[in-house]
C-alpha cells in the first residue's frame, strides 16, 4: 500500500511512543515478571479530534477519527501508529474481524485470514506490540477455567509472596481498579475488592491440583447452594504454563494469626460469640462431604447406610487453611472463619471390595492428620466409607487448640504443642518425623490431649456455659475410626451447644435444667473423672439403676460444674495437667518434664492404671424456690424486690426469653410443653407478617437484644404465616422473604448498624403498595367475605398485615416532633376510613429498644396522641409482654394494657 507521508510523521510516531512510555502501568505476565501496559482511557485522551486530524493530514488521507471511535478501532489504530503503520487503518476498517473486539491476535506466525497485505512486512511487529495495548480485564464470567497466552498481560499491579507450600505459591495481589469488575458478597453486602490472593501451582502435578480445586469450587459455588463460609473464588485460569486461581483475601489472616493478634474472650458473651463464629466452619465441610452424591452413614439419626460411588473429603484441614475475615459487628470475636485450600480435596472411586488395603492417604498436615492416615505407623486400614472422618479428626484438633486459646491464650497453645511434641518424641516411629507434635500415638489420642481437655474444664470461668460441652464434642471427634462422630453429628451437636449456652445468658428465672444436648458415643477412654451426671436418676448408693457410670451430661448450670469437684469443698480437681514451671524449664533448657504420660522409646508401657478415686457423694440439684414465670426487668435488673401489683392481668404474660426457651426445647426434642397463651396465635392467622428493623448507628448497643427478639417473634408468627415472613431494614431497600426464619435471623445477626434512620420514608415505602392495592382488592372480593390483602397474592387470598418495627425512636426528622413518621400512618388510616374497612386491617407495632428520652417520647405519642379515627399503632418495650407485641396494634384490649 503506497501512501505518501509528510515530513513530521516520524516525529509524530516518536511523540506517541514517548507518551505511551510515560503512561504505562506495571502488570504481570506468565513468568511473574513485570509487564507494562497502557490503559484504554489514556488512548482516548491522546487521540482527540485535533491529534487525529494532524495524523491523517500527515498521511495525506481523509480524517477517519470519528469512524475509528464508532467502529471500535482505537486500539488497532494505536498499535499501527506505535509501529509506524498508521496508513493501513483503512484496510483494517474495510475487512471484518480486525477490530478491537478481536484483539489480541493469538498466533505469532499466522495472521487472521482478512489481514491486509503485505503480511510479511509488519504482522510480527504488530503481534509483539499489541500486548501492551490489550491487558486482560478481570470479568468474573470470563475468568473461569480459561487459558491466556504467555505474553498476555494481566492487570495485577502489585504482587507480594506470602508463603510457598509443597505444591503452590501464595501471593497477595492488587488488581487495577479500571480493569476489575469482580464482586462478591461479604458482611457489608456486595463489594468490589481490590486485594486478592493468587495461588499459583508449580509442582509436577500442578494441573491435577488446579483441576481438583476448580472442580470443588465449581460445585461449592452453585448459585442455589452458595456457601458463605468457604473462601470465595473469583477466577481460575492457565497463564502460559502456570495454573492459577484468584481467591478472596482474608483481611485478618488465618486462624493462628487470629490467635496471636486477639486476646482470648473473658466474658460469657464473648466466649459464646467466638464459638458461634468458629462453628460455622462445619457448614462447608458438610457441603464437601455431600458433593457428588456422597451420603454419610447417620447412626444417630437412624438412616440406612448406602453404598457410594464417590467419596469427597478436604484432607488438609489445619489452622493455616481456616482464614479469617471481618464479621458483621465490631466485636473482635465476631469473625467469618472460612475454609480454604480445596486443592487437596478429591474423589476416591470405590471398588467392589469395601476395603482397599493399598489405599493410604498421605495428604494434609501430619500434625492434624488422623491416626488411620499415618503412613507406616497406623495399624488401621482406611475404609472408604470412613474417609470423610479424616476431616472430622482434623477439625477436632483445631477445636482442641481453640479451647486452649480461649483459656490460656496463644502462649498456652504453644505450650500445648510442646507437650504433644514431648510425648510423640518418645514414640519410636514418630521421633524426628513430621508427625512429631500430632494428637495421637498412631492409634488413639495422646494422654496429654486428654489431660489438657480436663484442665480446660477446670480452668473455665464460672459463667462459661460452653467450654465443657465443646470439650465433650471434641472427644467425640477424636474417637477411633469406628466410633468417631460424622459431620451431621458434629453439626447437630455444635448447634445444640450454642442453643443451651444462649439459654444460660437469660435471667435465672428463665433457665431450665435440660437433658444432655450431646450423648457421647463409645467413650474414648474410661477415665477416673467420668463421674455420673448429677442430672441422671440414681439410687441411694449413688449409682445409676443399671450400676453403670452414665456419660457426662451436657446440661448447663452450676450443678454440672459441681460434679467435677473432688470433694464437697468446691475446690478444683486435684490433678493438674502439668507443672507449667517444669514446662518453662523445658522450654529454656531442653530438659523434658517428668514422664507423666508414657514409656520411654522402645519400651512397652507398664500397667499404670491408677486406682479409681472415690466417687463424690451424689448431690441432687437443689429444688429452686417458686418464682413467678415473669418478673419485670426493671425489678430484676436493679436487684430490688418487685413491688406487688394488686391488679392481676387476666391475659397470659410471656417474655422473649420464655419463647426462646420453648423454641429450644422443641428443637432439642426434650419436651414440647405448651407455650403460655399459645391459643392467641390463632388471632394472628390469615395475615402477612412484616418486620422492619432500624439498623441505624444508635441501635448498635442493642443489636444482641434485637437479634434475640426477632428470633422469638419470627419463630412464633411463622407458624401462622405459611407464605413466609418479610424482613426489611431502614437503611436498605432490599426485602428478604423466607419461610425459614433461620435464614432471616442470620441476616439480622450479620447486619452492621450504621448511619441515620429515615423511618418516615422506609415505613411509607412498605405501606404505599399495600394502600394502593386496597381498592382493587376490595372490588375483587366484593362477592365474598373480605378479610384483607396479601402484598404478593392479593387477588387470590386477601389478607391483613401486621408490621413490627424494631427501633429506639432516634430518627432523623429535623424539628418535627415525630420525625414525620405520623404522615404515612395518617394517609393510610384515611384510606381505610374511605373504603369503610376495619381498624384491624393493619397493625403497626413499635417495639422499643433502649431508653433514649426523645425516642421514648416519640413512640409514646405515636401510640396515644395521634388522635386518628382508627388506632392501628401500639408501642411496647422489647422486654415486655410478647403477646402485647403481637396483638397490641390489632386488639384494643391489648393496646390498653399497661406493661
Amino acid at each position: 500500500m503506497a501512501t505518501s507521508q509528510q515530513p513530521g510523521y516520524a516525529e509524530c510516531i516518536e511523540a506517541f511512543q514517548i507518551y505511551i512510555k510515560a503512561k504505562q502501568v506495571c502488570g504481570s505476565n506468565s513468568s511473574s515478571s513485570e509487564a507494562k501496559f497502557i490503559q484504554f482511557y489514556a488512548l482516548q485522551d491522546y487521540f482527540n479530534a485535533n491529534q487525529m486530524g494532524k495524523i491523517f493530514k500527515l498521511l495525506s488521507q481523509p480524517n477517519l477519527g470519528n469512524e475509528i471511535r464508532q467502529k471500535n478501532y482505537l486500539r488497532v489504530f494505536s498499535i499501527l501508529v506505535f509501529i509506524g503503520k498508521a496508513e493501513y487503518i483503512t484496510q483494517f476498517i474495510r475487512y471484518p474481524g480486525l477490530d478491537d473486539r478481536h484483539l489480541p491476535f493469538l498466533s505469532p506466525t499466522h495472521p487472521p485470514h482478512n489481514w491486509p497485505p503485505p503480511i510479511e512486512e509488519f504482522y510480527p511487529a504488530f503481534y509483539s506490540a499489541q500486548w501492551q495495548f490489550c491487558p486482560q480485564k478481570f470479568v468474573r464470567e470470563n475468568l473461569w477455567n480459561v487459558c491466556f497466552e504467555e505474553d498476555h498481560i494481566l492487570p495485577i499491579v502489585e504482587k507480594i509472596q506470602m508463603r510457598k507450600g509443597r505444591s503452590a505459591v501464595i501471593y497477595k495481589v492488587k488488581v487495577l481498579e479500571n480493569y476489575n469488575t469482580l464482586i462478591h458478597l461479604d458482611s457489608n453486602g456486595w463489594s468490589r475488592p481490590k486485594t486478592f490472593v493468587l495461588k499459583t501451582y508449580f509442582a509436577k502435578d500442578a494441573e491435577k491440583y488446579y483441576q481438583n480445586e476448580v472442580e470443588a469450587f465449581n460445585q461449592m459455588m452453585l448459585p442455589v447452594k452458595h456457601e458463605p463460609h468457604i473462601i470465595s473464588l473469583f477466577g481460575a485460569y492457565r497463564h502460559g504454563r502456570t495454573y492459577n486461581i484468584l481467591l478472596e483475601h482474608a483481611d485478618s489472616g488465618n486462624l493462628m494469626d487470629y490467635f496471636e493478634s486477639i486476646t482470648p474472650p473473658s466474658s460469657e458473651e464473648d466466649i459464646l460469640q467466638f464459638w458461634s463464629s468458629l462453628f460455622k466452619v462445619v457448614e462447608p465441610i458438610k457441603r464437601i462431604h455431600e458433593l457428588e452424591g456422597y451420603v454419610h452413614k447417620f447412626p444417630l439419626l437412624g438412616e440406612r447406610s448406602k453404598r457410594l460411588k464417590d467419596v469427597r473429603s478436604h484432607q488438609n484441614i489445619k489452622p493455616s487453611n481456616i482464614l479469617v475475615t471481618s464479621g458483621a459487628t465490631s466485636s473482635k470475636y465476631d469473625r467469618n472463619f472460612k475454609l480454604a485450600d480445596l486443592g487437596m480435596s478429591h474423589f476416591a472411586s470405590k471398588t467392589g471390595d469395601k476395603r482397599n488395603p493399598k489405599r493410604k492417604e498421605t495428604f494434609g498436615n501430619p500434625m492434624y492428620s488422623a491416626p488411620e492416615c499415618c503412613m507406616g505407623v497406623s495399624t488401621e486400614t482406611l475404609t472408604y466409607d470412613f474417609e470423610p472422618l479424616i476431616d472430622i479428626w482434623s477439625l477436632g484438633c483445631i477445636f482442641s487448640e481453640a479451647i486452649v486459646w480461649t483459656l490460656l491464650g496463644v502462649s498456652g497453645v504453644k505450650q500445648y504443642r510442646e507437650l504433644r511434641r514431648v510425648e510423640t518424641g518418645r514414640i519410636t516411629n514418630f521421633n524426628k518425623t513430621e508427625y512429631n507434635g500430632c494428637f495421637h500415638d498412631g492409634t488413639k489420642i495422646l494422654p496429654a490431649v486428654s489431660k489438657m481437655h480436663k484442665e480446660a474444664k477446670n480452668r473455665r470461668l464460672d459463667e462459661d456455659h460452653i467450654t465443657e460441652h465443646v470439650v465433650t464434642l471434641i472427644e467425640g471427634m477424636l474417637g477411633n475410626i469406628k466410633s468417631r462422630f460424622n459431620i451431621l453429628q458434629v453439626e447437630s451437636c455444635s448447634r445444640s451447644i450454642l442453643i443451651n449456652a444462649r439459654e444460660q445468658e437469660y435471667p435465672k428465672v428463665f433457665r431450665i435444667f435440660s437433658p444432655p444436648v450431646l450423648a457421647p458415643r463409645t467413650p474414648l477412654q474410661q477415665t477416673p473423672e467420668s463421674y455420673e451426671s448429677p442430672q441422671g436418676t440414681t439410687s441411694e448408693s449413688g449409682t445409676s439403676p443399671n450400676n453403670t457410670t452414665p456419660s457426662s451430661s451436657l446440661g448447663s448450670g452450676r450443678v454440672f460444674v459441681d460434679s467435677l469437684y473432688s470433694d464437697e469443698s468446691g475446690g478444683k480437681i486435684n490433678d493438674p495437667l502439668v507443672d507449667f514451671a517444669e514446662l518453662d524449664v523445658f522450654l529454656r533448657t531442653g530438659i523434658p518434664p517428668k514422664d507423666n504420660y508414657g514409656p520411654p522409646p522402645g519400651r512397652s508401657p507398664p500397667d499404670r492404671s491408677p486406682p479409681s478415686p472415690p466417687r463424690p457423694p451424689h448431690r441432687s440439684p437443689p429444688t429452686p424456690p417458686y418464682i413467678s414465670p415473669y418478673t419485670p426487668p426493671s425489678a430484676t435488673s436493679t436487684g430490688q424486690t418487685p413491688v406487688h401489683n394488686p391488679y392481676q392481668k387476666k391475659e397470659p404474660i410471656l417474655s422473649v426469653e420464655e419463647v426462646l426457651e420453648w423454641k429450644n426445647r422443641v428443637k432439642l426434642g426434650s419436651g414440647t410443653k405448651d407455650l403460655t397463651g399459645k391459643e392467641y396465635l390463632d388471632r394472628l392467622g390469615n395475615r402477612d407478617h412484616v418486620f422492619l428493623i432500624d439498623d441505624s448507628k444508635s441501635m448498635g448497643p442493642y443489636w444482641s437484644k434485637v437479634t434475640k427478639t426477632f428470633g422469638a417473634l419470627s419463630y412464633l408468627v411463622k407458624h401462622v404465616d405459611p407464605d413466609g415472613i418479610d424482613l426489611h431494614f431502614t437503611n436498605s431497600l432490599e426485602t428478604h422473604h423466607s419461610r425459614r426464619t433461620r435464614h432471616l435471623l442470620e441476616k439480622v445477626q450479620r447486619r452492621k448498624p450504621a448511619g441515620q434512620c429515615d423511618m418516615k420514608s422506609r415505613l411509607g415505602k412498605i405501606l404505599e403498595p399495600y394502600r394502593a392495592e386496597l381498592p382493587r382488592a376490595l372490588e375483587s372480593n366484593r362477592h365474598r367475605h373480605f378479610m384483607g390483602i396479601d402484598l404478593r397474592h392479593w387477588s387470590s387470598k386477601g389478607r391483613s398485615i401486621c408490621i413490627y418495627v424494631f427501633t429506639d425512636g432516634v430518627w432523623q426528622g429535623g424539628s418535627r416532633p415525630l420525625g414525620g413518621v405520623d404522615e404515612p400512618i395518617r394517609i393510610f388510616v384515611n384510606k381505610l376510613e374511605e373504603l369503610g374497612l376495619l381498624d384491624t386491617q393493619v397493625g403497626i407495632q413499635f417495639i422499643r429498644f433502649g431508653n433514649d428520652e426523645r425516642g421514648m417520647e416519640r413512640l409514646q405519642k405515636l401510640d396515644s396522641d395521634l388522635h386518628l379515627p382508627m388506632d392501628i399503632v401500639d408501642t411496647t418495650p422489647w422486654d415486655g409482654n410478647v403477646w402485647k407485641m403481637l396483638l397490641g396494634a390489632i386488639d384494643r384490649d391489648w393496646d390498653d394494657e399497661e406493661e
Side-chain angles (χ1 to χ4, degrees), residues 234-247:
F234 290 97
Y237 57 91
R238 178 177 175 177
H239 194 190
R241 298 181 181 181
T242 66
Y243 294 86
N244 308 269
I245 58 175
L246 198 65
L247 299 162

Side-chain angles (χ1 to χ4, degrees), residues 409-586:
V410 68
S411 61
V413 175
K414 294 178 180 178
Q415 288 178 326
Y416 185 24
R417 291 180 179 178
E418 287 299 328
L419 288 174
R420 301 198 307 270
R421 289 190 180 100
V422 169
E423 282 198 8
T424 53
R426 294 172 180 150
I427 302 173
T428 303
N429 292 335
F430 280 7
N431 192 23
K432 296 182 180 180
T433 69
E434 290 183 311
Y435 293 97
N436 192 284
C438 67
F439 288 73
H440 59 82
D441 60 5
T443 304
K444 61 183 184 301
I445 61 174
L446 298 172
V449 176
S450 298
K451 289 180 179 288
M452 181 60 89
H453 291 167
K454 190 180 78 172
E455 184 71 7
K457 292 181 180 180
N458 294 343
R459 287 175 177 259
R460 71 179 185 86
L461 302 172
D462 288 348
E463 63 271 20
D464 177 0
H465 302 287
I466 191 170
T467 294
E468 57 180 329
H469 309 329
V470 175
V471 169
T472 308
L473 169 61
I474 294 170
E475 291 171 347
M477 299 170 71
L478 299 183
N480 65 57
I481 199 169
K482 295 181 180 179
S483 65
R484 193 177 307 158
F485 286 176
N486 60 40
I487 192 62
L488 282 194
Q489 290 170 294
V490 174
E491 180 189 45
S492 176
C493 296
S494 60
R495 183 185 300 118
S496 299
I497 288 171
L498 294 177
I499 290 173
N500 267 30
R502 289 190 180 102
E503 179 182 287
Q504 294 299 325
E505 287 188 308
Y506 308 149
K508 292 183 179 180
V509 66
F510 302 120
R511 297 184 184 176
I512 61 171
F513 290 95
S514 61
V517 297
L518 172 61
R521 304 176 69 184
T522 306
L524 303 178
Q525 295 179 343
Q526 294 296 335
T527 61
E529 297 79 35
S530 298
Y531 299 144
E532 65 179 352
S533 167
Q535 297 181 11
T537 304
T538 58
S539 61
E540 291 182 0
S541 62
T543 59
S544 58
N546 57 2
N547 294 324
T548 61
T549 302
S551 59
S552 298
S553 167
L554 285 186
S556 302
R558 188 68 224 175
V559 176
F560 183 85
V561 180
D562 290 342
S563 70
L564 295 176
Y565 293 163
S566 59
D567 52 44
E568 293 289 340
S569 65
K572 297 292 184 182
I573 297 176
N574 186 22
D575 185 13
L577 167 67
V578 68
D579 187 339
F580 281 96
E582 224 172 59
L583 180 61
D584 292 337
V585 173
F586 165 68

Side-chain angles (χ1 to χ4, degrees), residues 808-880:
D808 57 359
V810 181
W811 312 320
Q812 65 186 58
S815 59
R816 291 173 292 179
L818 300 179
V821 177
D822 57 320
E823 295 178 23
I825 298 175
R826 292 179 187 276
I827 294 172
F828 197 87
V829 168
N830 291 336
K831 192 62 166 181
L832 292 177
E833 190 177 28
E834 174 188 333
L835 298 175
L837 296 176
L838 300 177
D839 57 359
T840 57
Q841 189 71 31
V842 173
I844 304 175
Q845 180 70 54
F846 287 91
I847 299 173
R848 175 174 57 80
F849 293 82
N851 296 306
D852 181 84
E853 184 176 350
R854 188 178 183 189
M856 294 173 65
E857 181 183 359
R858 279 178 168 174
L859 293 174
Q860 184 59 40
K861 287 184 177 181
L862 285 173
D863 186 1
S864 306
D865 297 336
L866 290 184
H867 306 296
L868 296 174
M870 294 183 182
D871 186 3
I872 63 171
V873 178
D874 184 42
T875 298
T876 305
W878 78 274
D879 50 4

Side-chain angles (χ1 to χ4, degrees), residues 176-197:
L176 188 65
E177 186 173 2
N178 292 339
Y179 287 78
N180 172 24
T181 61
L182 304 173
I183 60 173
H184 77 137
L185 185 63
D186 60 14
S187 58
N188 295 318
W190 290 101
S191 65
R192 180 179 296 179
K194 298 179 182 178
T195 305
F196 301 85
V197 167

Side-chain angles (χ1 to χ4, degrees), residues 379-393:
T379 59
E380 296 278 358
T381 301
L382 189 62
T383 305
Y384 283 109
D385 287 351
F386 291 112
E387 184 177 278
L389 298 182
I390 296 169
D391 293 342
I392 303 301
W393 177 281

Side-chain angles (χ1 to χ4, degrees), residues 10 23 84 528 639 757:
K23 292 290 185 178
C757 175

